[in-house]
Amino acid sequence: MVATGASPPPDAGASTADLVAQAAQQISTLVRDELALVKQEMTEKGKRAGLGGGLLGGAAVLGLHGLGFLLILAVVLLHLVWPLWLSVLVVMLAVFLAAGVVAAIGRRQLRSAAPPVPHDAIAGVAADVQTVKTAAHQGRQR
């Protein structure tokens, strides 16, 4: 829970309406603070994910260039023993097969991925709810 402003303790002589109004104001502040925490946490995670994604994208571009040269080398080497058209066909089929396998693995991984969740904010809200429940329960026992 993030507190932006502390409210004074309830006055012993305060009316029920005053106490309800004060509770509503405190709950409103609590919800705003928790939403600000969620926003901050998700922004930080988004920035880290963006940087990581950009770096992975750069690595992928360089890797694709290297793969292209490797495929050219495979065609040239196969052309030493087979006609050029057959060498290109064999390499092309191998690339399509590898692409299919990688696509199937990627699809399986995406299906099992969990959605991004602000765990810290959820834990804070759960603690706040438990605190309110405990306070309400103790208030009933008086």
Side-chain angles (χ1 to χ4, degrees):
M1 179 175 99
V2 177
T4 57
S7 298
D11 186 14
S15 70
T16 303
D18 291 339
L19 292 175
V20 169
Q22 186 178 12
Q25 187 256 342
Q26 289 175 344
I27 290 172
S28 175
T29 301
L30 176 66
V31 168
R32 276 194 304 275
D33 291 345
E34 291 298 341
L35 288 175
L37 178 62
V38 168
K39 181 180 176 184
Q40 178 186 6
E41 185 178 347
M42 293 306 290
T43 300
E44 289 174 11
K45 287 184 178 189
K47 285 179 183 177
R48 276 189 242 125
L51 178 61
L55 291 172
L56 283 174
V61 167
L62 293 174
L64 285 174
H65 281 85
L67 180 62
F69 286 121
L70 182 65
L71 294 174
I72 291 170
L73 176 64
V75 169
V76 169
L77 289 176
L78 287 175
H79 180 58
L80 294 175
V81 291
W82 292 339
L84 182 59
W85 69 267
L86 184 59
S87 302
V88 171
L89 180 65
V90 167
V91 170
M92 180 187 67
L93 290 176
V95 168
F96 284 149
L97 177 67
V101 169
V102 170
I105 292 170
R107 184 176 176 209
R108 189 175 323 127
Q109 289 296 319
L110 282 175
R111 283 186 175 172
S112 67
V117 177
H119 295 289
D120 295 341
I122 290 173
V125 169
D128 294 341
V129 168
Q130 187 59 41
T131 301
V132 170
K133 284 182 180 179
T134 302
H137 182 67
Q138 290 174 350
R140 285 187 198 142
Q141 291 179 348
R142 289 185 184 174

